Amino acid sequence: MSELIPPLEWHRVFVQPWTEDLALSGWVMLMGFLVTGTCGLVGQYLILRRMALMGDAIGHGILPGLAGAYLLGSMVMGEGVDVRNSAVPYFGAVVAAVLTTVLIEWLIRGSRIKQDAAMGTVFTALFALGVVVITVFADQVDLDADCVLYGEIGFVPFQAFLTWAGRELAPVPVVRMGVVGGATVVLIVTFYKELLVSSFDAGLATSLGIRAGTVHFLLMGWLAVVVVSAFESVGAILVVAMLVFPGATASMISDRLPRILGWIGVQAAVSSVAGMHLAVWLDCSTAGAMVVASGCLFGLVWGWRGWSRWAARRRVPDLADAPEGAGAGRSGWASGKARHS
């Protein structure tokens, strides 16, 4: 067993990332927090709409859009232009995301196929198309298939830095993700009512003058922007977990949306730090370790909720087995306590 799991060296795992290696691990943890938090905020509205699988569909469905955008961008803009850091990938991804959404809706309404089958059909077909485009035009597309699928957040500190007045501020991917994360918070605060009402009841939203269909497609478009900003660090597969885990975990802690959104930030911070230490300990993929940490947090909260319900049932007296007369007294005491609590 000791040959499979490396020994837990306290200084290397828990001290060194915050001292000698802070210049590198700090950017990785910050990027993990931004990706997990931003994906979790957008993913929460997918969970409310019971469309968590839609994040998976768009995460895979944007691949042909990215590949096509890189290919056309390289051909039109020339070899000397850095297509990766331009707006071209975002444009291709948004078009592919909207196309994925339209195709899924068209299949649901125009055939007898259920929603889950329509999602599975569309995103697997588009994902396979993207893989074919990348492999066929591999020498013309500046896009690595492994990077798209798995990402590598550990390379973030080695990316080009944004400079201001001759001083290096932060790696470009961190700045980009920070801008997208900040814009996500601003959009949620600005359109809080529209997103809330249309997520719970599209008919009520329409009766209140809110264009639920427009809100839906704009949400899908912004989801594409978030996924494209995150895929280089965590990949198109792991980003799906970061869309679902934070919201699912926070939804078990509170049933009020503002608190859920706050708990998503806490979950993002804890999972990014814990994932970083786990990756250092096991010498594994940092993005994968952060997702594992998110899964462990989900399991802990789920276990805590189950234990709380079990403990609450243990505290409630079994009135059915109580002697006649005693039950009435307990019932009256219990109901009186409930009224004053």
Side-chain angles (χ1 to χ4, degrees), residues 16 51 89 92 99 108 154 160 206 240 242 268 280 308-309 329 337:
Q16 194 169 332
M51 299 176 62
L99 177 63
I108 294 174
T206 303
V240 178
M242 293 185 171
V280 173
S308 298
R309 287 196 295 268
K337 182 181 179 182

Side-chain angles (χ1 to χ4, degrees), residues 72-83:
L72 293 176
S74 301
M75 295 173 61
V76 174
M77 301 170 67
E79 298 180 354
V81 179
D82 186 7
V83 179

Side-chain angles (χ1 to χ4, degrees), residues 318-334:
D318 191 350
L319 301 181
D321 298 334
E324 186 177 357
R330 290 183 183 180
S331 177
W333 175 84

Side-chain angles (χ1 to χ4, degrees), residues 27 99 119-120 254:
W27 291 121
L99 177 63
M119 290 182 182
S254 176

Side-chain angles (χ1 to χ4, degrees), residues 152-217:
E152 186 47 73
I153 198 172
F155 290 162
V156 166
F158 303 104
Q159 299 289 328
F161 274 60
L162 180 69
T163 58
W164 176 264
R167 298 185 61 180
E168 293 184 340
L169 299 179
V172 172
V174 176
V175 175
R176 182 169 56 225
M177 199 67 225
V179 171
V180 172
T184 301
V185 174
V186 172
L187 289 173
I188 289 176
V189 172
T190 305
F191 301 104
Y192 181 81
K193 183 185 70 175
E194 288 80 1
L195 288 169
L196 179 65
V197 178
S198 63
S199 296
F200 281 101
D201 193 334
L204 176 62
T206 303
S207 67
L208 294 175
I210 299 173
R211 296 183 177 181
T214 303
V215 174
H216 172 74
F217 282 104

Side-chain angles (χ1 to χ4, degrees), residues 37-55 184-200 215-216 218-220 222-223 243-244 246-248 251 256-258 260-262 264:
T38 306
C39 290
L41 291 176
V42 178
Q44 175 60 28
Y45 288 97
L46 299 179
I47 295 175
L48 291 177
R49 293 165 182 258
R50 299 182 179 181
M51 299 176 62
L53 190 58
M54 181 61 83
T184 301
V185 174
V186 172
L187 289 173
I188 289 176
V189 172
T190 305
F191 301 104
Y192 181 81
K193 183 185 70 175
E194 288 80 1
L195 288 169
L196 179 65
V197 178
S198 63
S199 296
F200 281 101
V215 174
H216 172 74
L218 289 177
L219 178 63
M220 295 302 108
W222 190 250
L223 172 64
L243 285 169
V244 177
S251 298
R256 296 183 62 83
L257 185 57
I260 290 175
L261 298 179
I264 286 175

